[in-house]
Amino acid sequence: MDLKLTGKTALVTGSTAGIGFAIAKSLASEGARVYVNGRTQERVDAAMRAIRSHAATAKVMALRADFSGSVGAEAVIANFPRWMCW
């Protein structure tokens, strides 16, 4: 199935396991640039490796951030200011 996601960017929070991981893997398989998010760098790295082993050409980047407080949200804003312009 071609969802026409090539060139699109997705941030999938909580994407180191479970439903979030499945969503990130599916989006990456469809050609989207995917930011994998988790609370620890080790889990983020493991999820990225797993996605790349499923889709070798996947464009997968890391975003370690804990969204249980404002610090995680501030990390996203600092790294992706363009997303905040609407």
Side-chain angles (χ1 to χ4, degrees), residues 28-52:
S29 295
E30 288 293 325
R33 176 183 301 113
V34 178
Y35 284 86
V36 174
N37 165 252
R39 287 181 277 179
T40 69
Q41 193 64 48
E42 294 79 18
R43 290 188 61 150
V44 170
D45 291 342
M48 289 173 44
R49 281 192 304 275
I51 291 169
R52 287 183 181 133

Side-chain angles (χ1 to χ4, degrees), residues 8-63:
K8 305 292 183 186
T9 301
L11 165 60
V12 183
T13 60
S15 52
T16 59
I19 294 170
F21 175 77
I23 292 168
K25 186 168 105 174
S26 294
L27 291 172
S29 295
E30 288 293 325
R33 176 183 301 113
V34 178
Y35 284 86
V36 174
N37 165 252
R39 287 181 277 179
T40 69
Q41 193 64 48
E42 294 79 18
R43 290 188 61 150
V44 170
D45 291 342
M48 289 173 44
R49 281 192 304 275
I51 291 169
R52 287 183 181 133
S53 73
H54 174 74
T57 61
K59 295 179 180 102
V60 186
M61 280 68 66
L63 176 64

Side-chain angles (χ1 to χ4, degrees), residues 63-77:
L63 176 64
R64 188 199 57 75
D66 182 351
F67 291 111
S68 64
S70 63
V71 173
E74 290 167 5
V76 172
I77 293 167

